[in-house]
Amino acid sequence: MRTTLFTTLLFGSAALASVAAAKAERSGAVGVPATALASGPTSEAASAPAAEGRPEIGEFGFDTAGMDTSVDPSDDFFGYTDGGWVKATPIPADKASFGAFDVLQDLSQQRTKAILENATRDPQSKIGAGYAAYLDSQSIEAGGLKPIMPWLNKIKRLRTRDGYAALVAEADRNGVGVPFGSGVGQDAKDPTSYVVGLRQAGLGLPDRDYYLKDDAKFVAIRAAYTDHIAKMFTMAGEKNAGERAAAILAFETQIAKVHWTRIESRDADQTYNKDTVADLRKIAPGFDFATYFKKIGTPTNVIVIGQPGAIKGEAALIGAAPLDVLKDQLLIRSLDAFADVLPAAFDAERFHMFSTVLQGTPQQEPRWKRAVNWTSAALTDDVSRIYVAKYFPPATKTAMDDLVRNIIGAMDRRLDNLAWMTPETKAKAHAKLAAFVPRIGYPDQWHDYAALKIVPGDAFGNKLRANQWAHDWNAQKLGKPVFRWEWGLAPMTVNAQANPTLVAITFPAAILQPPFFDPNADPAVNYGAIGAVIGHEMSHHFDDQGSKYDATGRLTKWWTDADVAAFKARTAKLVAQFDAYEPLPGMHVQGGLTLGENTADLAGLSAALDAYHASLGGKEAPVINGFTGDQRFYLAYGQVWRRNHRDEDLRNRLLTDPHAPAQQRVWIVRNLDAWYAAFEPKPSGKLYLTPEQRVRIW
């Protein structure tokens, strides 16, 4: 049930969906060893930190050894900046891709592991008990399917359609995938209050295209998915597994046909459809929504529907589907949802389907890493409080406050200089910028998990109760003032976020370390790395969707028609530019899907460079190791996006990720005049654009 109506992240990845990050252990902080970035994955033991006053990476905060200077920057700035690292760095066997984010994730897991292992020595510690229980594979194996059987039997005992909606609601509360996504979030048109949102769901594969594309790779994936369902059913003692698996695939294929595309689903205007449950029952009579909302703890009559056509279509399909197929879909979702706390055969089979087949990952992470991730997700703030006390120095927050203030100032000046925006809209844009709430390091308030029961040795029960606690916490917000202190990102997360209804930009503790931020690095590097991240998240509030929210976080039309037309003319060029990129044969970047992130990269870099120039106080930046200040700025930006992908992972991202792949994200520099001045790319270069061809938005 837990959904967010609209947020944007710096980086999207299943590998980063849980916790991921670390600080270095010098003076209470942790750094990323230069060797980790220069020569590939780190070992489990952290390298020694740099000497006091020295940057963690290289001579000035950038890994020059990771460059490939045989590549012409005018042909491939990603290859020039990161090509040496790309060639020297294999993807670890337990990852679908590997890059700078993952280096920090691995460090975070190591440090969080130490926190949790220490907690296991305290018999009163919930995080210690939860971590130890998840690690206890022997007890999980010995328990077999006994822990989940009461729930599976409840599904199988359903005899009539009358009880299906209530069963779906219970599955939702238990953390099992269901046909509809719902949850309590800010009302985009009244951001001072909460509302229940309803969105399309119901697919076991990541996207509708996995069901509908006819080329051989997708046909093979569908065959593997059907085989996966049959294997899980067989291991659970179910009969006619192959036939039932084929029926589930057929049902979900019909759902895929009525689903909106991801491009359609990111439109903030089109996905805001406030209605009553009474009216919804009339247009979508195949599913008992009133019972569903009552049983999940939000007995509302007012909802915001994300994709009305899809919801109507799904409800009709549910109404027509055999009850046994509906039950079987809940059965497989339940086995998949809890596979990690069931016997190893279930865990291994789920990993094979969703990590090996879909992402190309050959080997599962060690159990301790997954235990760290689960505990940090289930009891986030109990872990976070210890983490930030140990690994987030106050000086980092102070430095970030200054950087954020400088980049907001730079964006403010850029607004003044926009030729295409009318004075009326500029005034409102300035007001929105002034309303920003920067959130740095960790939240001001922590969740209380007193009501969450963690039992030693009960991994399944702990996961079930944690899912229910999170569901109930979300549901009880309805009718209350907005909890503005909630972040949605743990301090251990290597990511950043923009939330348009809160008018907030969020930078967790874990991302505020090298290569993103280093107090001892050259300022150009910090502005090109974390400065660009700050600018990116700030710019999300002015991208093609974030710009629809005003200074109070309200979804409303506050631009003139002339501004909207001028903006769309510019963003259309960015869509076309990214549509032309073909990272895999026959598969292009979706310019419409990635538009928000590409706009934020473009604007964020521009604002960060302006802020860097302003920080020089009129002085010329020094030349360091032969690189000018602007060159170091752009190199630092390229460094944070170094990444190697498995083909399967890249294919999945091209279909589902609103972020362009790393190489193409770095190529955004081809639109910036200052990059041309810094590197003097040849007009014959593959990245070269004439001044008229360059996309200029903010």
Side-chain angles (χ1 to χ4, degrees):
M1 174 178 171
R2 295 155 301 282
T3 65
T4 304
L5 294 187
F6 183 60
T7 59
T8 53
L9 294 168
L10 174 72
F11 181 73
S13 165
L16 299 176
S18 55
V19 285
K23 302 297 300 172
E25 293 175 295
R26 188 189 73 250
S27 303
V30 180
V32 182
T35 52
L37 288 166
S39 57
T42 57
S43 66
E44 292 192 1
S47 301
E52 189 67 37
R54 296 272 302 171
E56 295 283 353
I57 301 170
E59 292 296 317
F60 55 89
F62 174 75
D63 171 30
T64 54
M67 299 176 70
D68 184 351
T69 54
S70 70
V71 175
D72 190 327
S74 60
D75 285 330
D76 179 6
F77 192 63
F78 174 86
Y80 173 74
T81 303
D82 299 317
W85 181 91
V86 167
K87 293 174 184 175
T89 307
I91 302 172
D94 63 354
K95 298 188 188 302
S97 66
F98 187 75
F101 284 79
D102 303 279
V103 173
L104 302 188
Q105 177 183 20
D106 289 345
L107 287 169
S108 179
Q109 287 177 316
Q110 285 285 344
R111 287 153 178 82
T112 307
K113 176 187 179 186
I115 290 170
L116 295 173
E117 287 184 341
N118 184 61
T120 61
R121 293 189 278 271
D122 178 0
Q124 304 302 315
S125 171
K126 283 188 175 181
I127 61 174
Y131 176 71
Y134 194 99
L135 275 178
D136 189 359
S137 299
Q138 186 173 351
S139 293
I140 293 171
E141 202 69 28
L145 291 180
K146 184 178 179 181
I148 200 174
M149 284 311 300
W151 168 242
L152 298 184
N153 287 335
K154 188 169 188 176
I155 296 172
K156 291 190 282 187
R157 283 196 301 268
L158 183 67
R159 293 291 178 260
T160 68
R161 290 182 174 277
D162 292 342
Y164 178 66
L167 189 66
V168 167
E170 187 173 355
D172 200 341
R173 182 171 181 262
N174 290 344
V176 173
V178 296
F180 305 102
S182 70
V184 176
Q186 275 182 278
D187 187 334
K189 292 196 174 181
D190 180 13
T192 63
S193 65
Y194 285 119
V195 70
V196 176
L198 181 69
R199 298 180 70 87
Q200 66 184 24
L203 300 181
L205 292 172
D207 185 77
R208 67 194 299 274
D209 283 352
Y210 280 89
Y211 295 87
L212 305 180
K213 284 185 175 288
D214 290 330
D215 67 69
K217 287 185 173 61
F218 291 97
V219 171
I221 287 171
R222 291 194 289 274
Y225 178 55
T226 309
D227 187 52
H228 161 73
I229 297 171
K231 286 181 179 178
M232 295 290 269
F233 278 175
T234 299
M235 289 190 293
E238 297 296 317
K239 297 179 180 179
N240 303 318
E243 179 183 336
R244 291 162 69 180
I248 290 174
L249 178 68
F251 177 55
E252 291 181 4
T253 300
Q254 294 303 308
I255 293 176
K257 290 178 180 178
V258 302
H259 264 206
W260 288 19
T261 67
R262 287 181 182 261
I263 293 175
E264 293 168 334
S265 295
R266 64 180 297 273
D267 189 312
D269 292 317
Q270 296 303 312
T271 54
Y272 186 94
N273 303 277
K274 185 172 276 191
D275 209 338
T276 65
V277 174
D279 284 342
L280 177 61
R281 293 177 69 184
K282 294 176 183 176
I283 65 171
F287 183 76
D288 185 355
F289 285 101
T291 295
Y292 169 71
F293 286 120
K294 180 180 178 181
K295 294 294 184 180
I296 62 173
T298 55
T300 181
N301 191 41
V302 178
I303 54 172
V304 172
I305 304 172
Q307 301 98 342
I311 298 298
K312 180 180 178 181
E314 284 188 55
L317 290 169
I318 289 170
L323 182 60
D324 284 344
V325 173
L326 300 178
K327 290 161 58 177
D328 279 351
Q329 190 186 40
L330 289 179
L331 285 176
I332 187 59
R333 292 291 189 275
S334 299
L335 291 169
D336 279 335
F338 289 97
D340 58 329
V341 288
L342 295 177
F346 290 89
D347 193 23
E349 171 54 34
R350 187 188 189 284
F351 172 80
H352 172 73
M353 178 62 227
F354 294 102
S355 294
T356 303
V357 173
L358 289 179
Q359 295 181 302
T361 311
Q363 180 178 304
Q364 195 167 25
E365 281 188 325
R367 185 79 185 177
W368 72 261
K369 286 189 176 184
R370 294 186 287 141
V372 164
N373 292 346
W374 179 80
T375 310
S376 299
L379 294 152
T380 304
D381 288 359
D382 281 359
V383 179
S384 300
R385 281 183 284 193
I386 303 171
Y387 181 91
V388 297
K390 189 171 184 180
Y391 298 124
F392 187 63
T396 299
K397 188 177 189 310
T398 300
M400 276 292 291
D401 285 336
D402 291 340
L403 281 167
V404 170
R405 185 166 50 252
N406 292 347
I407 293 169
I408 287 177
M411 186 65 175
D412 212 37
R413 293 188 293 273
R414 293 191 75 82
L415 286 172
D416 283 330
N417 295 327
L418 285 182
W420 58 267
M421 183 174 275
T422 63
E424 174 188 348
T425 304
K426 279 186 184 181
K428 294 176 181 178
H430 283 301
K432 182 173 182 177
L433 200 57
F436 276 8
V437 179
R439 308 191 298 186
I440 298 168
Y442 55 93
D444 296 328
Q445 185 175 334
W446 303 109
H447 292 91
D448 182 353
Y449 301 106
L452 174 55
K453 185 179 180 181
I454 297 294
V455 178
D458 185 13
F460 176 87
N462 291 340
K463 180 169 184 175
L464 176 63
R465 288 185 292 273
N467 289 347
Q468 293 170 343
W469 181 93
H471 174 104
D472 293 347
W473 171 262
N474 176 263
Q476 59 84 35
K477 294 177 185 178
L478 193 63
K480 294 181 180 178
V482 171
F483 297 175
R484 294 185 175 274
W485 56 270
E486 274 194 316
W487 275 26
L489 285 180
M492 298 84 71
T493 305
V494 186
N495 217 326
Q497 183 189 64
N499 187 310
T501 51
L502 289 173
V503 201
I505 48 178
T506 304
F507 308 98
I511 199 172
L512 305 179
Q513 59 179 326
F516 294 94
F517 174 75
D518 183 343
N520 296 316
D522 168 47
V525 171
N526 281 331
Y527 274 98
I530 197 63
V533 170
I534 296 167
H536 173 99
E537 299 306 339
M538 184 179 65
S539 301
H540 265 311
H541 291 275
F542 297 96
D543 69 20
D544 67 304
Q545 300 305 317
S547 61
K548 297 176 179 180
Y549 297 79
D550 68 11
T552 69
R554 185 167 60 104
L555 179 62
T556 186
K557 188 176 184 298
W558 57 278
W559 292 33
T560 67
D561 290 340
D563 292 313
V564 171
F567 184 68
K568 286 185 175 181
R570 285 160 174 76
T571 56
K573 294 179 180 178
L574 201 59
V575 170
Q577 186 178 111
F578 277 80
D579 276 343
Y581 297 142
E582 189 177 2
L584 286 174
M587 291 197 72
H588 289 247
V589 176
Q590 297 184 69
L593 178 61
T594 59
L595 178 57
E597 300 299 331
N598 299 333
T599 303
D601 282 342
L602 180 60
L605 264 176
S606 300
L609 183 64
D610 285 358
Y612 168 58
H613 288 166
S615 75
L616 296 172
K619 297 179 182 178
E620 190 76 19
V623 174
I624 302 176
N625 285 14
F627 296 108
T628 67
D630 280 16
Q631 286 176 332
R632 298 192 302 275
F633 173 90
Y634 287 117
L635 290 172
Y637 175 73
Q639 178 172 253
V640 302
W641 294 115
R642 51 177 49 172
R643 176 162 294 276
N644 278 328
H645 294 275
R646 301 186 193 279
D647 283 355
E648 296 88 344
D649 173 68
L650 188 54
R651 182 177 299 109
N652 184 26
R653 289 172 186 263
L654 289 170
L655 288 176
T656 65
D657 195 342
H659 306 80
Q663 184 178 36
Q664 285 71 40
R665 290 192 78 163
V666 173
W667 287 353
I668 197 74
V669 298
R670 69 193 301 216
N671 295 290
L672 301 171
D673 293 342
W675 178 75
Y676 287 83
F679 289 95
E680 300 180 346
K682 297 188 290 288
S684 60
K686 295 176 182 177
L687 293 183
Y688 188 90
L689 296 171
T690 65
E692 295 76 22
Q693 293 173 316
R694 297 168 200 170
V695 179
R696 310 172 196 273
I697 302 176
W698 295 105

